[in-house]
Amino acid sequence: MSALPEATPTPTTPEREAGHVLAVRGPIVDVRCTRLPPIGQALHLRVDGETATLEVFQHLDDTRVRAIALRPTIGVARGDPVVDTGGPVTVPIDDACLGRLLDVLGQPLDGGPALDTQTLYPILRPAPLLVDTMPAESILATGIKVIDLLCPFVRGGKTGLFGGAGVGKTVLMMEFMHAVSTAYNGVSVFAGVGERIREGHELWHEMKESGVLPRAVLVFGQMDESPGVRYHAGFTGLTYAEFLRDRGFGEVLFLMDNLFRFVQAGTEISGLLGRMPASVGYQPTLVTEVASLQDRILSTRAGAITAVQAVFVPADDMSDPAVTAILGHLDSTVILSREQASCGIYPAVDPLVSGSRLLDRRMVGERHYHVARAVREYLARYKELEDIIAMLGMEELSADDRRIVNRARLLQRYLTQPFQVVADHTGIAGVTVPLEITLADCERFLDGSYDQLTEDQCYMRGAMS
C-alpha cells in the first residue's frame, strides 16, 4: 500500500478555539494556546473579514507557539482569537485544476471560480514507500536536440536548469511543457516560487496563446508575499503533480522556477524563528528542507513525475552550499551559458558542463553514447583552440585542427533549434527532432558528410534532411 495519505474530505467537525494572538512581528505570529497544537498544524484567524492561515513552526514553551502567516499580517492585533483547524495546511484537489492559476492554498488567481470540491490534500506529505516506487532508468525524449543528445532527461527523474537572468530558462521550460503535452499526451504543473508579478502574468498569457494551458496547472507564490507562501509554493505544486500522477493523467512534468528562491524563503523563516545561521548564512536545516521536497519527486506504478527545476547560482559559484545541496538530488544538469546566448546559440545550453547520469552505454546504448562523446570531444577541442584562433588566426592551425574546428562550429549551429512556443515572436516555425534523427545527423557531421555546408545552413533548423 502507498504511504501517501489518502485524499480527505473537508472536516465536518467545527474548528475549536486554540488561543489568542500574543505578538506579531512581520509574518511571525506568536500565539498563546489553551491546548498546544503540533508542529505543522494549520491555525486560522479572521483579518478584515477574511480567514488568514497560520502554520505552527515552533513550540516556545508549554503554552506558546510561533507560527508563520501565509498572508500579510496587516490588521492582526494582539488578543485576536485563533482557532485550530485540527490538521495540516491543505489544498482542494479536483480534475478541474487543469488550466487554472492558483495560489499556495489552492485559491484561484485567474479570476475564475474556486475549485468546487470537498476533497483536500495536505501539502506536506511523506514520500511513497520504497517498495511502491519504480526506478528511473529510461529517457524522456523532448525533441530538443542538444538536450536529448548530451544531457537526456530521466523519465521520473530530476533535472536542474542552472542559469542567470535572460538566458532562456522560461522559454525552455515552456517548450518542455509543450513537448510533454503533445508527444506524451501528458500534463504539466508549474510552481512559481518567488515569481515577479510581471513574469507570472506574461507566462500565463504566453501559455494560453501557445495552447499549453489546458493541460497545465500553475501555482504561484509571488515575490511580494510572506516567506511562508514562497516556501510552500513548491510543496503545493508538487501536491497537484502527485494527484495528477495518481489519477492516471499520463506523463506529469513538474517545473519549478526558482528552486533557489525556495531556499531563500527557508533562510528567511529560519532567521525569523531565531535560529543560528550555518555556512554562508544559510539555515541549519538547509539539507533537510531541500530533501523534503526532492524526495517526493518519484515514479510509482501509477505514473511518473519528471521534474525540471530552475536554479539560480549566486555569484556563478557552483560550490555554494545551496547549489551543492540541490545537486546531490539531480539526475541531469543543464547549464545555460550567457556566453552561448551572446553568440546567438539558443537554447543556450553549455554542452561541456551539462550532463546526465543516463548518458551511459548501459542505459542509452553504444551508438548514442559514442555519438554524444564524440560531439563533446569536438566541441571541447574547439574550446581549447579558441584563444589561438583569436590571436593568430585559423591559418596557424594544423589541417586536422582546422577540420575539427570547422565541424565543431557546424555542430554548434546544428544544436540550435527554433521553439514552438515562441514561433509567433521569432517568425520561425518551431520544430521537434526525434532522437534517432539527431544521432544520424551528428554521425554525418562527424564523418565529414556535411563539411561543404556553411554555418548558416545549419543554424536554427530541425533535421538536416
Side-chain angles (χ1 to χ4, degrees), residues 228-302:
V229 170
R230 287 179 272 125
Y231 179 79
H232 285 93
F235 290 106
T236 298
L238 185 52
T239 301
Y240 282 105
E242 289 171 329
F243 164 75
L244 294 171
R245 176 196 65 193
D246 297 341
R247 286 280 288 174
F249 275 85
E251 206 69 46
V252 179
L253 184 64
F254 174 62
L255 304 109
M256 182 186 291
D257 188 7
N258 186 304
L259 188 55
F260 184 74
R261 295 195 194 118
F262 164 78
V263 173
Q264 283 184 311
T267 304
E268 288 182 51
I269 292 172
S270 181
L272 290 167
L273 296 176
R275 294 174 182 154
M276 184 69 70
S279 178
V280 200
Y282 288 110
Q283 63 271 39
T285 53
L286 170 65
V287 175
T288 303
E289 290 175 4
V290 172
S292 66
L293 181 72
Q294 300 293 338
D295 287 352
R296 287 170 55 185
I297 304 172
L298 293 168
S299 298
T300 66
R301 292 179 178 85

Side-chain angles (χ1 to χ4, degrees), residues 16-20 29-44 54-68 82-88:
R16 61 179 182 272
E17 186 169 337
H20 62 272
V29 180
D30 290 350
V31 180
R32 186 176 295 282
C33 301
T34 54
R35 182 179 180 181
L36 206 64
I39 300 294
Q41 193 88 326
L43 309 177
H44 284 171
L54 314 176
E55 185 182 9
V56 177
F57 263 79
Q58 196 174 48
H59 289 164
L60 300 178
D61 54 33
D62 291 343
T63 61
R64 294 182 302 148
V65 298
R66 182 160 289 168
I68 299 290
V82 177
V83 295
D84 187 346
T85 64

Side-chain angles (χ1 to χ4, degrees), residues 42-53:
L43 309 177
H44 284 171
L45 58 81
R46 300 291 291 175
V47 183
D48 298 331
E50 297 182 358
T51 300
T53 300

